[in-house]
């Protein structure tokens, strides 16, 4: 049975972390996370131990035209109260508030992309929603275990 997301509205979120421009074909995201993880405790005013993996896509490219070589910005970050004391070589960003389709992904990356495609390509239009031009992100909490088949993460897809 396909995953059915919940619809949640949130206020904006302040994050501090590292970002790169990458693509699925030449994904340098693991290297960015290897740089970020040993330094995440340098960030002050964090709201929790949860990590945020965020993607920002070029709104001028229709979703149907995305392929493995399409570039996007990827972040490794944590949510903070404010932007005081940002560590060297880290950046700030404010995730726009709004409505999101949210679901829990459990398992490996292959199923992650299958589920995400189903949500964006089938479930959203069938239920009267459209993708919104805001950030996509995942919240990696205590049940997140990178690459493990029992790993869980919350996936947030911006909608209108």
């Amino acid at each position: 049975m396909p995953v059915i997301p919940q619809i949640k509205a949130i206020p904006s979120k302040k994050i501090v972390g590292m970002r790169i421009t990458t693509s699925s074909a030449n994904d340098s995201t693991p290297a960015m996370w290897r740089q970020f993880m040993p330094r995440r405790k340098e960030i002050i005013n964090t709201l929790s131990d949860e990590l945020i993996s965020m993607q920002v896509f070029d709104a001028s490219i229709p979703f149907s035209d995305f392929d493995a070589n399409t570039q996007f910005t990827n972040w490794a970050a944590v949510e903070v109260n404010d932007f005081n004391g940002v560590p060297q070589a880290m950046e700030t960003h404010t995730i726009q508030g709004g409505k999101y389709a949210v679901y829990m992904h459990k398992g490996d990356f292959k199923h992650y992309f299958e589920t995400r495609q189903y949500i964006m390509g089938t479930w959203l239009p069938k239920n009267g929603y459209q993708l919104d031009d805001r950030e996509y992100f995942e919240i990696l909490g205590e049940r997140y275990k990178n690459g493990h088949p029992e790993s869980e993460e919350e996936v947030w897809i911006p909608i209108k």
Side-chain angles (χ1 to χ4, degrees):
M1 181 168 155
V3 171
I4 301 198
Q6 293 182 309
I7 305 304
K8 295 184 180 181
I10 60 167
S12 62
K13 294 176 174 280
K14 292 179 173 74
I15 63 169
V16 171
M18 296 178 171
R19 71 180 169 123
I20 56 167
T21 300
T22 191
S23 70
S24 296
N26 298 304
D27 192 8
S28 50
T29 301
M32 175 188 60
W33 278 98
R34 282 191 298 275
Q35 271 191 302
F36 176 74
M37 288 303 286
R39 297 194 58 214
R40 73 187 187 278
K41 295 296 183 190
E42 295 175 31
I43 302 169
I44 59 174
N45 299 325
T46 58
L47 291 176
S48 74
D49 289 333
E50 295 175 330
L51 302 170
I52 295 177
S53 176
M54 182 180 71
Q55 304 82 46
V56 180
F57 299 98
D58 183 342
S60 68
I61 303 171
F63 177 69
S64 58
D65 291 348
F66 275 65
D67 63 25
N69 294 308
T70 303
Q71 292 198 326
F72 59 94
T73 302
N74 210 349
W75 283 77
V78 294
E79 187 176 6
V80 295
N81 285 320
D82 57 49
F83 293 139
N84 294 328
V86 176
Q88 186 175 8
M90 291 201 195
E91 299 181 62
T92 64
H93 183 84
T94 301
I95 297 174
Q96 299 173 59
K99 211 180 272 191
Y100 284 84
V102 182
Y103 65 94
M104 185 65 70
H105 169 71
K106 184 175 181 179
D108 64 23
F109 294 118
K110 177 180 182 238
H111 292 105
Y112 172 89
F113 290 109
E114 289 172 359
T115 303
R116 188 163 155 166
Q117 288 296 106
Y118 165 77
I119 299 289
M120 295 189 326
T122 303
W123 190 88
L124 290 178
K126 181 178 171 187
N127 288 280
Y129 295 104
Q130 295 176 323
L131 292 174
D132 199 359
D133 179 22
R134 290 181 286 123
E135 303 89 341
Y136 295 67
F137 63 95
E138 295 84 38
I139 296 178
L140 314 177
E142 63 184 33
R143 293 188 295 214
Y144 178 74
K145 298 170 182 74
N146 188 20
H148 192 279
E150 296 298 313
S151 181
E152 293 184 22
E153 62 191 274
E154 278 185 8
V155 179
W156 294 67
I157 298 173
I159 60 171
K160 56 184 177 182

